[in-house]
Amino acid sequence: MKKLILVCLIAAITSCSSVTIGYDYDKAADFTKYKTYAFTEDALNLPVDQLNRDRILRAVETEMTAKGFSKSDSPDVLIDLQVKAKQEMDATATNTGGGMYGGRYGFGGGYGYGGTTRIDYNEYTVGSLFVNMVDKSTEKIVWQGRGSKTINENASATQRDTNITNGVKQIFTQYPPKK
């Protein structure tokens, strides 16, 4: 089950719902000194299927380039990626039929309710992608961006490409942090 969730996790970035993003950073870090990057081994072996891993890596490379970074064998920062999945459920109650009856202003008559309440449960998985920027010299995280989304297991390859790209782009709107 855990492997299925991780395989499907990237579909979280491919559903029609919007991406919820957030970020955190080290206020003491000088982001102007970071110009080069490389992926960590863990990022290169992200526990999702190969197609989605490649999509994520390409999207992150595109955003790093757009932010003025270049790939390097001796980088200023390491990019580490993590994925997480969380099962959630919501419930919707629907009342049908029935009603109240009575005399004027509710006096002089009886009250009754003959309807039924139906409760529908919707189980779904919310997936999150974390992008951690680690200062190579201190080995500390200096910036972390996160995007979360409901998984759409039926997304097409084209939808996955488009939405992973857009999801990662949204995460990087928070870099560099505004001090």
Side-chain angles (χ1 to χ4, degrees):
M1 177 67 175
K2 189 174 183 180
K3 182 170 176 142
L4 174 64
I5 289 171
L6 288 174
V7 168
C8 295
L9 177 64
I10 299 312
I13 299 174
T14 66
S15 71
C16 295
S17 65
S18 63
V19 177
T20 301
I21 59 170
Y23 74 104
D24 196 5
Y25 67 98
D26 178 352
K27 290 182 180 174
D30 178 6
F31 292 95
T32 62
K33 73 178 186 176
Y34 303 130
K35 304 290 183 203
T36 59
Y37 77 97
F39 288 106
T40 65
E41 281 300 313
D42 288 342
L44 294 173
N45 295 303
L46 198 61
V48 296
D49 64 272
Q50 183 66 49
L51 293 171
N52 285 319
R53 183 177 327 129
D54 290 347
R55 287 178 178 114
I56 292 170
L57 293 172
R58 269 194 312 271
V60 171
E61 286 176 350
T62 298
E63 291 307 310
M64 292 298 289
T65 300
K67 297 292 183 180
F69 285 83
S70 58
K71 234 175 167 179
S72 173
D73 291 332
S74 55
D76 302 320
V77 293
L78 296 171
I79 301 299
D80 188 43
L81 303 171
Q82 297 172 333
V83 291
K84 294 187 180 183
K86 180 179 167 185
Q87 289 294 120
E88 295 193 7
M89 178 188 302
D90 61 19
T92 304
T94 307
N95 292 319
T96 58
M100 296 180 72
Y101 61 91
R104 187 171 188 187
Y105 306 111
F107 298 108
Y111 289 94
Y113 194 83
T116 60
T117 300
R118 186 176 114 188
I119 300 176
D120 293 312
Y121 295 96
N122 179 31
E123 292 187 52
Y124 56 96
T125 304
V126 174
S128 298
L129 172 65
F130 293 83
V131 179
N132 299 311
M133 187 176 289
V134 180
D135 183 305
K136 176 107 190 261
S137 63
T138 64
E139 296 184 3
K140 291 185 178 182
I141 295 175
V142 291
W143 181 84
Q144 180 185 73
R146 174 191 47 83
S148 297
K149 195 167 182 136
T150 302
I151 291 176
N152 175 2
E153 296 178 31
N154 300 316
S156 70
T158 301
Q159 287 172 317
R160 290 172 193 242
D161 284 339
T162 299
N163 290 308
I164 286 174
T165 299
N166 290 339
V168 171
K169 185 178 193 104
Q170 287 181 44
I171 292 169
F172 275 92
T173 61
Q174 304 299 319
Y175 184 87
K178 315 267 188 289
K179 291 189 178 188

